[in-house]
Amino acid sequence: MDFRDTSAEAAFRDEIRAWLSENLVGEFAALGGRGGPADERGWDTRIEWERTLGRDRWVGMSWPEEYGGRNLNFSQQVIFNEEYAKANAPARISFFGEGLFAPTLIAYGTHEQKSRFLPKIQSVDELWCQGYSEPDAGSDLSNVATRAVRDGDEWVINGQKVWTTLAHRAQWCFVVARTEAGSTGHKGLSYLLVPMDQPGVEIRPLRQMTGSAEFNEVYFSDARTSADLVLGEVGDGWAVAMATLGFERGTAFMSQQLAFQRELREVIEVAQGNGRSKEATTRQDLADSYIGVQVMKYNGMRMLTDLVARGVIGPSSSIGKLFWSNWHRTLGERAMDVLGTDALLVASEGNGEYELEDFHQIFMSSRAETIYAGASEIQRNIIGERVLGLPREPR
Amino acid sequence: MNFAFSEEQDQLRDVVRRFVEEKSSEEEVRRLMDTEVGYDPNVWAQMANELGLQSLHIPEEFGGQGFSFVELAIVFEEQGRRLLCSPYFATVALATNAILNAGTTDEKAALLPGIASGETIATLAFTEPNGRWDADGITMVAREDGGGWVLDGTKMFVIDGNNADLIVVAARTAGTSGEAGISFFTVAGDAQGLTRTALATMDQTRKQSKLEFAGVKATPLGAAGQGWSALSKTLDQAAVCLSNEMAGGAQFVLDMSVEYAKVRVQFGRPIGSFQAIKHKCADMLLEVESAKSAAYYSAWAAGEDNEELPVVASLSKAYCSDAYFHATAENIQIHGGIGFTWEHPAHLYFKRAKSSEILLGDATYHRELLAQRIGI
């Protein structure tokens, strides 16, 4: 047990710091650390920033070298993410491509598929979106009804996806579709890679409670993709889709913790400024949030140690997801408490406009976090059944 | 970065787990908790002679083995799993640390070898009838009398106070308040003028005493009037030990709940298949794993003796207190009626959790202390 860097880790950390101090300058530095995959503020500059990262192979740093990666191990990835967060570098928008699709592609893709898609993810020439949820397939994801039928050397896709973040920005979508007619549940699904720029794809924005519209409904009406653009075996899409969800719940929270720490610090500063920090209940709340964000760090380090030793994170990633999403939701509520009457006002509203300050952004966007990537109730099922070995509920 | 126990530490855990399972069955816990001394002197001797547990983190020059708080944490976690009834917490977490923090080299050389060998049972008497865990709670005045020191007053909630051969006492010099003027003294358990009364404890597995001092001659430990920083550190270290003990107990009751939820059938199926129960268990696991992370990290910080310790000790004590109590409360609920009976062990853990939460300051106290320590 030792929480200090090894000499190799320290040297790697220095390399990252040097790169960031050289490149994170000017308009890139001005972006600050805010935002996220579901946040379009400063879009063009953020794209340019990500291309700068990609140019020096900091996009795809965990990939094998033959596909342009640096083959970095988990510890190195975490060190990069720590330094990235400490430097207040812009939140990443290539999350769906780099964070979710690429690891799935590396695990399940053919050499041709990897060679085709990975370089474009790294150069940030192609963005991806996730075609999972449907109106009748939310927590019960295996209930997808979108169908794909072979027509010569193409798949023809019909159906509707929903809550598709950044569909309007993405060039590609990874789609879970039913390829076996008459199949139900987990069977008969395939994981298709579908180009978004075609007549059979219609995107309608959905406005969220935050006022902005990062996610969408996506309608496939005889949309087409090439027959060879199936990831994994035809009919084996459920396993591939679950692997992606594993990455989504996986290691992201380890670096997220640093962003959360910063948010908490801002809430504490506001409380100190307006005098709330002198109130006993507020002090209890802030100390409790501090405990939570530190425990998140300790949990992350324990999980990382386990990950390095065993190579897979497994269902215990659900513990991390459940923890951070609840913690963040509570922070949002406490931020409102700290603001007091200032919480009654937003940055601007009226005439179709509704713009939030940072604390309101946390307060509202955190309501989505206990829902996406598997709602908290689903995470508790996973923990109960796959970690604790409790019997499945009747289905 | 490496957040794992070493192979040697895992071996220590195996040895201690086997020992505690053998010596601290539920039946034995129930037998001991009903006695006045509340522990088995033979087991105490075996802990010292066969396993060397009392000497674990005492430096070699004072008769110990020189291990760190990480090894100590393993022992506390394993004891916590089985509610081992023993003056180990009082002797090792409280008295030994107080002596290590406050004592001069000569004092350590005089006091620690007896503890390390298992001959001396010791405790720390600092809490008073006012029930406070901070410096202001110490009102007992030590006065100089003919070249020696004399203590008058009452100490309360003294863990294993009736069992202790050696009592480390925190008192203050006349005319001081707060953190200034606090001094340590040692007193023999059978000292003249000392009246020890066993208290009727809600948690029967850990004995407490009221100690009344009437002109008791005391030997100074460390520099007079300079004791607060050593006491504060001792309380942090003890909080770390107790956090690990609580994490062990919390894991044990979670296992108890999960096992029962798998076999108890209602409405024609195991109750663990219902989300109402399954989700309780999932939340317990999250909290138990988090409690372990906090407890282990705090043990590392205590071992390193770094500047993080005060913050991490309060953090860990607050989190583990809440997690342990919540786990024991849910354990009763999951067991239903049987969990409310005297015969079922659920109440033993429920009571231990509540008493451990209150000892050294409850979660509310430690959150406030934490707020101060991080500058809020």
Side-chain angles (χ1 to χ4, degrees), chain B residues 232-265:
Chain B
S232 174
K233 185 170 171 181
T234 302
L235 297 178
D236 287 341
Q237 291 165 331
V240 168
C241 294
L242 193 50
S243 295
N244 279 276
E245 192 194 280
M246 291 190 284
Q251 176 73 61
F252 195 83
V253 294
L254 168 62
D255 294 346
M256 208 189 281
S257 287
V258 169
E259 202 176 311
Y260 188 72
K262 286 177 184 172
V263 298
R264 170 68 175 167
V265 173

Side-chain angles (χ1 to χ4, degrees), chain B residues 25 47 110 137 169 319 327 355:
Chain B
S25 63
M47 285 166 68
V169 186
Y319 192 89
S355 76

